[in-house]
Structures are given as structure tokens and as C-alpha cells.
Amino acid sequence: MGIYSTLTSIEGELHKCMKCGNCQAVCPIYKETRHEVGVARGKISLVEALLSGETEMTEGLSERFSLCTTCMACNANCPCGVRFDRIILAARAEAVRQKGLHSAKAIAFGALKRQGLFDLGLKVGSVFQGVALKRIPGRKSGSRLRFEVGMGQTKVFPNLAKRTLRSELPEIVRPAGTAKMRVAFFTGCMINYFYTDMGKAVVEVLIENSLEVVIPNGQGCCGIPASVNGDVESARVMAKRNLREFENMGADALVVACSSGGSAWKHVYAELLSDEPKWRALAEKWAEKSYDIAEFLVDRVPFKEEGLGRVERKVTYHDPCHLNRGQGIYAEPREMLKKIPGLELIEMKEPGRCCGMAGSFSLTHPELSDQILERKIQDIAQTHTDTVATGCPACRLQLASGVENADLQEDVVHIVQILAESYRAGKLEPRV
Amino acid sequence: MLSESILRELREVLGGKNVLSETEDLLTYAYDATAAMRRKTPDVVVAPKSTEEVSQVLNIAQKYGLPVYPRGSGTNLSGGTIPLEGGIVLSLLNMNRILEVDTENLTATVQPGVIIQDLNNEVALHGLLYPPDPGTVTTATMGGSVSESSGGLRGLKYGVTKHYVMGMKLVLADGKVIKWGGKTVKNVTGYDLTALFTGAEGTLGIITEILVKLIPAPETRKSLLGVFDDVDKAGRAISAIIRNRIIPATLEIMDNMTLRTVENFTHAGLPIEAEAVLLIEVDGYKEVVEREAALVEDVLQQEGAVEVKVAKDEQERERIWFARRSALPALAQKKPTTVLEDATVPRSKIPEMLKAIREIAKKYDLLIGTFGHAGDGNLHPTILTDERDKEEMARVEKAVDEIFQVAISLGGTLSGEHGIGIAKAKYLPLEFGEAGVRTLRRIKEALDPEYRLNPGKIVLRKE
């Protein structure tokens, strides 16, 4: 039985913890609250108390389990190799099994399970978003909440796209000439509904590299928002739908430009479906050919350097937790950036420190999320760059909000957008 | 559970968010980093922001007869922060400001919740160093490490925490605030309260401000690794280095059991056939470091090292110290419970101590890995066990008893750097004798007659 099915599955991880407290040195939440319950060791002791029967599952306990961005910094700093991300996910799943899901989340994940309904809702939303959100004067995109609904009013949200990415692009996009391979693109929700510019850049770059791009229309939410909040049943429905849709269309490889989506395909689906052998096998098959876009373009099909034009940007790169520690991808994005002519890469202090977004965490713990973000924005400001690049739309949203609120003149983009920009610039440059 | 009126009083003083009283929070203050300790949940956790607030908490504690357990990061290894009798856990983590770095008098003034590494990062900007570096340097607080007088890897050359404290502000059990010491190198006014309160483990007063000494950071450093096929030879090499008038910043040892485990864990290329390795670092001015490193290399060779490696660059140096830092976690992977002791002997007795530990391991059929700060005689015999195995735990206890007896018979001490806490309180008479323990108790009772502060640690109430 996997971590999503039973709490006892992580007993081995619990035994590894020797309570040394090294996790305190790197936990972004603990740094802000300085409460033991914020750090991995504290929550591990709560799970232990739960398993030993010293306490039972309470609303309060489930609330404490929500205090984790799953940034995995504690995993990396743990001398005993405790996988705390597995412990917290199992604990949250247990909380939902015993106490049910918080009602707001239940409605959201219920809608995400029925993607059509969700699409309709967001379509209506894109027309009426002005009712709840106030556009920021002088800025192309971005709005703040007009009224307090328990998730803070400081966060700057990107405006919903007028047309979703998947409705704008055909299901299959072919390059001129013969395609080297058929690549399926899993867009994820944020790219589909908000950051269509990122999605278009992915397709543009893949086409530029003579790859056929398949964007299955039937794909939906990756399921990570549900699985990290313990709604395992919804997550399983979503995982199966995506696996079915991609299997039907078929492809040599699958790319994602979102760190949650990448984790979902590479790790989470097989774990979620570990009790159903047929589905598990399918998940494992796709896991093997799933790539983050930077990983794909550096390691799998090296992107062509011929035709890259100058991009005069001073760039600093923020490592998304689930790309860096989650998938071990930190060298590839930098390698990609370094090959772009004219671009200067300036590292910030602690590029791997969590930005505080963590999906719904930023909505349920707005104050903490902002405090964590503030440190990140200070580090960015010190680089004196003009662009913050990252590898995940969720981090992009968070960083863009922080940059906006701090009045920094920085573009916040996905690295693949910079690569697309470079190819575009290359076409305008005179041939030598 | 505390009555609502006590909680209300605490909230009035500290603000609601600095008073934790829900079970889900309290459960996370029932332990520290000490293995195989009984957990005990406090009744309330408070996190004051000033000396004044600490004093008011103590007044409330006195009024209602509640014990007060000061706590920093809870990383100590002697049960020092476990709230044995419930009551109030007083977290000092909200008092985390560096108040001053004085580059002319070479001092820093800090609040107790400052993390040691944060102080070091700050003083490094001025080319200075606060030398004490316990293994928990990135997590432990200044208040905690002063209260435990923690040591670390640089003890041999630079001493331990108690050599760097110059003064304090402190709240006594009755809530009164006292302050003493200062930035002068010389100060013999009155009794030496700094010596008394450093290492007092929070049993005599609550430290709310600390004045520490800083030193110029060494210009450079160099690391060496000496491999020995015989523990005695390694021991003689330690003495020979010192006899040659070289004081390395760090002089560490790992025994065969530790070596094998670390190698299995890190694949760093350690000599697993070796009976012992010495890991040495010299630091200072470039010229001095070159000369000392060469001398150490010669001495190791003369003393019969099978192999001597000198780290050629930062990467090689890092590899040596990575192996050392991995000692405890690697050993901890082998069994669920890791009992880490810190019995310490004069450095000349290291070979005897190592041999005794091996015999004890054999006698009680236990896995014991030994590593530690050989240069200052502070070894860490580490017993790998499983606290759920009652029969084995009984043998562990006997082995620990015997380790302490041997250490003391060799002219050593129960604890080099972890403190007495709960874990070693019962062994105190072994080192102090009955009259000695009575003296400690009289000091405790003079300052804290009600046993309000951290009760159950070091000296226990007389039955």
C-alpha cells in the first residue's frame, strides 16, 4: 500500500528521523514562525503521536499538517535521508480520509475533476474577473483582489486568458519538413488558463527544433493540487484521465513546462495508482518518457544553437522546488540560458529557496506565503538584473506578484520564453 | 491543562500569538534531540520578545507555582529541554537579534535566540570569527549553546563556548533581572557569575542577553588525513603532534566501525581496513599553515601512519570533512536508536579509552562506533540500538554506566560538551562525590529555592 492509501506506509521514514533538528536550518516556514510545529521534526512527532494513539486526528492536527510548502529543503538537509515530503503527503491523505476535505477545496477539486465545467467557469470568469479583481493601473497584466476573502489582498494574480491555450492551438502542430519525433505537451492548468504565452513558447521552440507537437484536448488538471491536499480520490480520477488521453494520442515523449506537472507524470501517478497494477504499469510507462522542457531540450533532444539571436537580458534564475529537488533539474535550465547570445546570468543568493507559492498554500496561508516571498524578492533585488527566469508557472505567478509589490523593474518569465525570444531574434538578424 | 485565567495572564503579557496552548502545538515541545528519552508535553509554550516579558513570565510562574523550561532550538543531547514536570516551556526564539558587533573591542552582543551560524555570518563581514562550532551550528541558538557550554570541532585550539562569554543579562527565578560583565579583557569584580551561568543548562536563571568575544578569522587552512592500522599508533600520533608544539584547529578520530559505516553510506573512498584515521586541520597565516601542515605530515609518517593524504584543494578538503560530518548520521542509519555519549578523557588517555570502549561493546554484545574530537580527548562512543528492544536497552544502560566509570577512572569527565540534563544526572556523584553534589545543590537552592527553573536537570531535589 502506497503513501496515499495508508499512514502506516511511512513508518519506515518516521523511524529514520533522529530528531536532530537539522531541518530547522532550511525550512522556509519555520524561519518565519519559529514554532516547532512549522518544521519537519515537529510534524513528524505529530504523526508519531497519531500512530501511537497518543492523539487522534483533529481539525487542529490537519491544520498543522497544512503548514508545509513541500519544498523538500528538509529532505536535502537531512543527515538521515528522511523523505519528509512523503510523510506529509501521507498525513494529509489520512486527514482527509478521517476528517474530510476542507469545503472550499472540495468544491475546487470537484470542479477540476470535471474539466468541462471548470473550463466554463473560467471562461465566464475571464469576462467577469473585473468584478472580483482590480487591474493594476499601467500594467498589461495582473490584478489584485478587490475584497478580503481570507486569502489576503496583496497577491497579484495574472489575468485569465481570453482564450485558453488548448482552444487556441490545434491538437497537433507539425513542423515544416520531417518531424524528428512526436512530442506530447502536457500544458497544466496555469499555462492553459493564465500563462498561454508560456505554452505558445513551448510549442514554438519544439517546432523550431523540428518536432511534432501533440496537445491532447482531453487532458486536464495534473491532480497535484488534490494529492498534496490529501484528496487522493480526486487525484486518482485526474491521473487516470490524463494517462488515458495521452495513451490514446500516443507520443515518443511527453514534455511539461510546469514543475508540478512534471512531478505528477514522473513520480506521483505511479504512486497514486500503486494499488491498481494495470494503471500503475501505464503510469510507469509514461513516467519513463516524461521530461521537463529544459531537461528535454538539453539532455534528450539538444536544442539547435544555430539560429539563436541576441537577447540582451540580465537574468537571474529561481529554482522551482519541485524541479530542483523534486526532479534533480537545476543544471539544465542554466545550461540553456548560458547558450543564449547576449544573455548574462547572475545567480541570486539561495536560488533554490522556496518562493512560498506552493499552490493552494499561498491562498490558505497568505501571510506566511508573503513573508517567505519577501526574502526571495530581497535576494532578487540584490542581483540588479532585469529578468527573473524560472521553470514553473506557479513560481512565476508568485515571483511576479512579489516583484510587482516591491516595485522592481523585472520581467518574470519561464526560461523557454527566453529561448523562443532568442529564436525570434535570430530570424531578424542579418545572415552573415 | 492550565486554567483559562493563567493563560489569559500570559496572553496579556505576551500577546495571543506568542502563547501556545493547543495540544497539537504542545506535543511538539515534548522532546529534544536526545535519543531514548520519555516524552513529556508542557502545559503551555510561551515565546517572549524581551527581558521584561521573560521577567513577567517568571512572576506568573511564581504566582501559580509552575515550573519553567527554557528552550532554544531543542537540539541538545542530554534531555536538557524536555519539560519533565509539565508547566511552561519558555521559547527564546523570538529574541533573535544581534544587538551589536563591536569591531574595536572584538565583541558581539546578542539575544539568546540568535542562531550561531547567523552570528558567524554577520561577524564574517568584518573578518571576524566566533569560534565555538558544535555540530548543530546552523540550528542551535546562542542561548542554548551558552547554557550547555557546547564545544565542537575547534575545541583543541580555540576552546569551547565558556572561553568566549564575557557577560550576560539574566532573569532570576524570582523574576529579578541582573547584568554583569563587559567588554574589558580583564574583570575580576565579584564572583565569576559568567563561569557559573555558562553551562548551567537553564537551571539557575534565564539568559536574555549575551556578550561574547570574537577573534580575527584565520587567513587560511589546510586539512590532512592519516590512516593507521593500529589504534595505539593513532593515539601516539595525537600526542606526538602536540609534543611537537603544533596545536591544530581540529584533530578528529574515527574508529574502524565508524569508518566502515561511513564508507558504506558516502562511498567517499575511505580506507575501510584501517583501525583508525585521524582528520586534522591547521589554520592561521598562509606561511604558518604551510609549515605546520608539513610538520604534521612528517609526524604522522614517523608515528607509523600507513598513509597520509593532504587535501590539495577546497574540494579535497571538503571530502575529508564530509566523511567526518557523516559519522553520526551514517551510524544512525544502522539502527533506529542512536545513543550518543560524550565522555571525555585527557588526550593522552585516548588509546586506553578507545580500547575500553571496544571491550565494553564486546562484553555487552553491542554495536558501538566511536569517533570524536581526539585532540581534546572528547570522544563520542555511539551505541546503535533499538529502544523498543527492552532487553538490549538494559545492556545499553550497563554499557553506558561502564563507559562513564572508565572515563572517570582515567581522569576524565562524564560530559565534554553535551551537558548533564536528565540523561546523566544520576551519574553526577560518580564525578563529584556526595559532598560535591551537595555543593551543587546548595548553589541551585540559593538561586532557585523552589526548583522553578528547568527542574529535573543536573541536580535533583533531595528526596
Side-chain angles (χ1 to χ4, degrees):
Chain A
M1 298 280 258
I3 59 166
Y4 294 107
S5 302
T6 155
L7 192 57
T8 49
S9 61
I10 43 95
E11 270 179 327
E13 292 298 329
L14 296 175
H15 284 153
K16 278 196 234 163
C17 174
M18 57 173 189
K19 307 289 178 298
C20 67
N22 272 15
C23 39
Q24 295 173 3
V26 292
C27 176
I29 290 180
Y30 180 77
K31 268 276 184 290
E32 304 304 331
T33 67
R34 297 181 292 280
H35 289 160
E36 178 83 12
V37 82
V39 79
R41 181 174 73 165
K43 284 179 290 267
I44 285 174
S45 70
L46 288 182
V47 178
E48 286 169 347
L50 188 61
L51 279 171
S52 73
E54 193 184 337
T55 182
E56 46 186 50
M57 185 61 82
T58 58
E59 293 290 337
L61 207 56
S62 136
E63 204 182 296
R64 298 326 187 268
F65 290 149
S66 78
L67 285 171
C68 173
T69 66
T70 68
C71 77
M72 295 183 276
C74 53
N75 287 0
N77 203 45
C78 179
C80 300
V82 175
R83 282 284 307 269
F84 181 68
D85 57 327
R86 295 176 67 77
I87 295 175
I88 197 68
L89 292 174
R92 288 175 180 177
E94 179 70 15
V96 170
R97 273 194 297 275
Q98 290 197 27
K99 288 278 149 191
L101 194 64
H102 185 274
S103 57
K105 287 176 184 167
I107 293 167
F109 302 149
L112 281 167
K113 265 192 281 191
R114 294 184 295 274
Q115 201 74 25
L117 186 69
F118 191 72
D119 270 359
L120 180 69
L122 283 181
K123 203 164 196 174
V124 175
S126 83
V127 179
F128 290 107
Q129 56 185 320
V131 176
L133 295 161
K134 189 166 65 187
R135 278 190 187 248
I136 298 164
R139 290 275 171 157
K140 280 200 301 287
S141 59
S143 309
R144 286 200 185 90
L145 274 178
R146 283 186 193 274
F147 31 77
E148 178 60 88
V149 290
M151 47 194 229
Q153 280 174 279
T154 52
K155 178 83 76 228
V156 180
F157 292 95
N159 298 320
L160 276 167
K162 291 232 163 53
R163 291 186 66 188
T164 65
L165 180 75
R166 293 197 293 266
S167 67
E168 227 182 313
L169 295 176
E171 208 167 19
I172 298 175
V173 190
R174 293 195 176 86
T178 346
K180 277 193 260 181
M181 79 169 56
R182 183 177 165 100
V183 180
F185 177 27
F186 177 77
T187 68
C189 292
M190 291 200 63
I191 292 178
N192 188 44
Y193 298 110
F194 293 96
Y195 290 132
T196 52
D197 54 350
M198 280 174 52
K200 286 178 203 162
V202 170
V203 175
E204 192 181 333
V205 165
L206 292 174
I207 293 295
E208 189 67 35
N209 282 279
S210 307
L211 298 155
E212 178 179 302
V213 186
V214 190
I215 314 164
N217 258 333
Q219 63 177 296
C221 170
C222 63
I224 293 284
S227 65
V228 298
N229 284 295
D231 183 2
V232 175
E233 281 320 308
S234 297
R236 283 185 179 136
V237 170
M238 298 175 201
K240 285 178 183 172
R241 177 184 50 213
N242 287 327
L243 285 165
R244 200 184 312 117
E245 291 298 327
F246 279 77
E247 182 65 15
N248 283 344
M249 295 290 283
D252 304 311
L254 177 145
V255 297
V256 251
C258 161
S259 64
S260 301
S263 304
W265 282 94
K266 288 182 184 178
H267 311 303
V268 180
Y269 287 173
E271 180 95 48
L272 269 173
L273 304 169
S274 61
D275 303 337
E276 300 171 70
K278 254 176 62 189
W279 281 107
R280 183 196 174 139
L282 189 61
E284 280 168 352
K285 173 182 151 189
W286 278 91
E288 241 168 79
K289 50 181 173 181
S290 292
Y291 297 88
D292 170 71
I293 185 75
E295 179 189 24
F296 184 78
L297 289 170
V298 171
D299 301 337
R300 181 74 176 84
V301 178
F303 66 94
K304 69 179 174 79
E305 290 171 52
E306 175 201 341
L308 289 176
R310 285 185 76 78
V311 175
E312 307 282 347
R313 283 180 185 271
K314 284 187 179 170
V315 180
T316 191
Y317 177 75
H318 161 73
D319 283 295
C321 301
H322 286 239
L323 197 55
N324 174 19
R325 287 178 290 272
Q327 300 171 49
I329 297 170
Y330 51 89
E332 291 86 346
R334 290 175 169 81
E335 212 169 297
M336 184 185 270
L337 289 171
K338 280 179 189 158
K339 283 188 176 155
I340 294 175
L343 185 148
E344 189 185 350
L345 177 64
I346 302 166
E347 294 283 356
M348 69 179 89
K349 209 174 95 189
E350 298 189 90
R353 192 175 198 280
C354 179
C355 67
M357 176 67 190
S360 56
F361 175 85
S362 71
L363 302 178
T364 53
H365 300 90
E367 210 174 301
L368 256 178
S369 170
D370 275 353
Q371 286 172 350
I372 298 170
L373 173 62
E374 215 166 283
R375 288 181 197 257
K376 178 60 66 175
I377 296 300
Q378 279 170 15
D379 290 348
I380 289 173
Q382 279 174 12
T383 60
H384 301 291
T385 49
D386 51 41
T387 305
V388 187
T390 188
C392 176
C395 299
R396 183 184 176 195
L397 187 155
Q398 177 83 341
L399 297 171
S401 172
V403 160
E404 175 71 42
N405 285 332
D407 256 331
L408 294 181
Q409 299 302 312
E410 300 252 1
D411 278 346
V412 184
V413 293
H414 192 290
I415 50 161
V416 76
Q417 291 176 273
I418 300 181
L419 185 60
E421 186 182 337
S422 178
Y423 281 130
R424 258 174 263 145
K427 294 201 170 72
L428 297 175
E429 281 170 14
R431 303 266 164 140
V432 189
Chain B
M1 280 295 271
L2 290 186
S3 75
E4 193 49 42
S5 67
I6 303 178
L7 290 175
R8 201 175 317 122
E9 273 184 61
L10 288 168
R11 287 194 196 108
E12 264 162 34
V13 171
L14 304 163
K17 96 178 180 257
N18 296 316
V19 178
L20 306 178
S21 58
E22 291 178 24
T23 314
E24 294 88 346
D25 291 317
L26 299 180
L27 282 169
T28 64
Y29 293 88
Y31 55 84
D32 54 29
T34 319
M37 283 280 136
R38 198 169 66 83
R39 292 188 185 188
K40 172 71 191 172
T41 308
D43 296 308
V44 66
V45 176
V46 299
K49 295 181 295 300
S50 65
T51 304
E52 179 52 29
E53 287 184 2
V54 173
S55 161
Q56 282 176 282
V57 170
L58 285 181
N59 287 334
I60 294 171
Q62 193 167 25
K63 185 167 148 195
Y64 296 102
L66 295 169
V68 176
Y69 289 91
R71 181 182 178 104
S73 298
T75 52
N76 78 86
L77 293 168
S78 53
T81 46
I82 297 174
L84 260 187
E85 299 176 10
I88 301 173
V89 161
L90 193 155
S91 164
L92 289 141
L93 294 177
N94 280 348
M95 296 179 68
N96 62 349
R97 281 182 304 132
I98 297 169
L99 301 171
E100 187 198 47
V101 176
D102 182 338
T103 56
E104 286 179 28
N105 290 305
L106 297 187
T107 63
T109 309
V110 299
Q111 291 188 317
V114 168
I115 306 298
I116 307 170
Q117 187 66 52
D118 289 343
L119 174 62
N120 256 325
N121 293 344
E122 184 66 28
V123 304
L125 301 175
H126 307 282
L128 300 173
L129 177 74
Y130 171 70
D133 68 334
T136 49
V137 69
T138 60
T139 50
T141 62
M142 288 295 291
S145 62
V146 168
S147 291
E148 299 289 336
S149 190
S150 30
L153 267 63
R154 287 196 279 246
L156 172 58
K157 178 169 176 179
Y158 294 106
V160 298
T161 304
K162 68 178 172 189
H163 301 117
Y164 292 87
V165 183
M166 300 175 79
M168 284 184 203
K169 187 190 269 184
L170 175 135
V171 182
L172 294 164
D174 61 6
K176 299 260 179 352
V177 179
I178 57 169
K179 195 179 169 177
W180 71 89
K183 295 179 181 178
T184 59
V185 172
K186 296 174 178 171
N187 179 335
V188 293
T189 308
Y191 293 133
D192 187 351
L193 293 187
T194 302
L196 178 62
F197 285 97
T198 304
E201 303 183 19
T203 61
L204 302 180
I206 312 270
I207 301 170
T208 59
E209 212 173 286
I210 308 157
L211 178 70
V212 294
K213 179 167 84 174
L214 306 171
I215 62 164
E219 185 182 76
T220 188
R221 54 201 180 181
K222 195 155 206 169
S223 299
L224 300 92
L225 181 111
V227 181
F228 291 87
D229 57 8
D230 181 279
V231 179
D232 282 334
K233 283 187 197 162
R236 280 197 297 272
I238 295 167
S239 303
I241 292 169
I242 310 288
R243 207 169 47 240
N244 278 275
R245 295 182 300 282
I246 307 164
I247 306 290
T250 303
L251 205 177
E252 299 285 305
I253 192 166
M254 295 202 288
D255 74 352
N256 178 269
M257 158 86 178
T258 309
L259 273 173
R260 283 175 184 275
T261 314
V262 171
E263 179 56 22
N264 193 24
F265 185 62
T266 63
H267 307 289
L270 293 171
I272 54 170
E273 298 305 320
E275 280 305 308
V277 297
L278 296 180
L279 305 93
I280 302 152
E281 183 160 284
V282 290
D283 68 0
Y285 287 111
K286 210 165 57 204
E287 296 76 7
V288 175
V289 165
E290 284 306 323
R291 226 176 109 183
E292 287 192 341
L295 258 168
V296 170
E297 194 179 348
D298 284 351
V299 172
L300 291 174
Q301 241 123 30
Q302 281 159 23
E303 295 300 324
V306 187
E307 193 191 348
V308 180
K309 284 185 196 163
V310 184
K312 277 187 269 319
D313 50 32
E314 192 51 36
Q315 220 178 342
E316 286 191 21
R317 174 186 177 272
E318 190 41 45
R319 213 171 305 146
I320 289 180
W321 295 108
F322 175 68
R324 166 61 184 88
R325 282 197 308 273
S326 302
L328 179 58
L331 288 169
Q333 301 282 301
K334 286 194 91 147
K335 290 279 213 113
T337 308
T338 311
V339 178
L340 177 68
E341 290 304 344
D342 67 325
T344 302
V345 294
R347 72 173 75 88
S348 60
K349 303 286 188 193
I350 286 276
E352 270 172 81
M353 188 67 193
L354 283 170
K355 227 180 287 170
I357 293 168
R358 262 188 306 184
E359 277 157 23
I360 292 168
K362 206 183 287 169
K363 177 168 167 193
Y364 294 103
D365 189 23
L366 292 168
L367 280 175
I368 307 184
T370 301
F371 60 94
H373 321 301
D376 55 34
N378 178 195
L379 290 177
H380 291 307
T382 303
I383 309 178
L384 311 179
T385 179
D386 186 341
E387 60 180 311
R388 293 164 296 189
D389 183 342
K390 295 279 167 278
E391 185 272 329
E392 184 166 281
M393 286 309 283
R395 279 185 278 131
V396 169
E397 196 168 325
K398 283 188 191 142
V400 171
D401 285 355
E402 223 162 288
I403 289 173
F404 286 140
Q405 271 155 15
V406 174
I408 293 194
S409 72
L410 293 173
T413 179
L414 296 172
S415 176
E417 57 182 3
H418 295 168
I420 297 302
I422 305 171
K424 277 166 271 187
K426 69 167 180 177
Y427 299 108
L428 219 49
L430 207 61
E431 185 162 338
F432 274 90
E434 286 308 325
V437 173
R438 208 174 312 127
T439 306
L440 296 192
R441 187 174 290 121
R442 286 172 66 190
I443 293 173
K444 166 74 177 172
E445 288 174 357
L447 287 162
D448 180 18
E450 309 285 332
Y451 285 77
R452 176 97 48 240
L453 302 174
N454 211 2
K457 319 296 167 70
I458 310 184
V459 273
L460 313 180
R461 281 187 194 88
K462 204 159 185 206
E463 270 99 69

